[in-house]
Every structure is written in structure tokens, then in C-alpha cells.
Amino acid sequence: MAFPKYESYKDSGEDWLGEVPEHWEIIRTKNIFRLVTEPAPKNNSEELLSVYSDIGVKPRKELEERGNKASTTDGYWVR
């Protein structure tokens, strides 16, 4: 996948990020999202998701059995 080239770039101020388009505003994630700590009800029908830096967000049922062995969202936070 190729991304479009912008006219000018600036240093993001973060070593891991490098340069970003000049018109982008750098905002901390915690200033965009809020943590919701609502517990999932027992025996719910919510789908359990897993997050990986290399493959993104995937439904747990689509992944190999490794790492987190949970099969339901009981006791997890929702949203």
C-alpha cells in the first residue's frame, strides 16, 4: 500500500514516530479517548477481541490458541 506524499513534513518530537505531515497536530492518546470501566455482564454475547501490533485487532476465535486463553468476555471491561 502506498501513502500519498505531502508537500512538507515536520519532526513529531517522538523518536519512534519520526516526521509527520506539517499540518498534522500531535495529540496524546489519553486526550482523545476516555477509559470506560464498565464490567461485562455474565454470559453476554459480546465478541472477545485481541490486539496485536503486527496484525491489528482480530476476533479471538480467528486466532491460534496461544497467549490469552480467555474464550468469553465475562469479567472484562466492555467497549
Side-chain angles (χ1 to χ4, degrees):
M1 172 194 283
F3 293 100
K5 298 290 182 193
Y6 292 94
E7 286 186 25
S8 59
Y9 290 81
K10 65 181 179 182
D11 181 40
S12 68
E14 298 293 335
D15 291 337
W16 64 271
L17 186 56
E19 291 189 331
V20 296
E22 185 79 40
H23 66 280
W24 284 15
E25 183 178 354
I26 307 299
I27 301 173
R28 294 179 65 151
T29 302
K30 73 178 194 174
N31 295 336
I32 299 172
F33 299 98
R34 66 182 174 87
L35 179 62
V36 177
T37 58
E38 175 187 334
K42 296 282 185 195
N43 302 316
N44 65 71
S45 61
E46 298 290 335
E47 184 163 25
L48 185 62
L49 303 175
S50 292
V51 181
Y52 296 89
S53 59
D54 56 337
I55 62 172
V57 178
K58 296 285 184 181
R60 180 70 185 134
K61 64 186 175 190
E62 293 179 9
L63 301 172
E64 295 177 20
E65 287 296 324
R66 60 180 179 163
N68 185 348
K69 302 289 190 226
S71 58
T72 73
T73 58
D74 291 357
Y76 281 73
W77 294 341
V78 293
R79 293 188 209 354

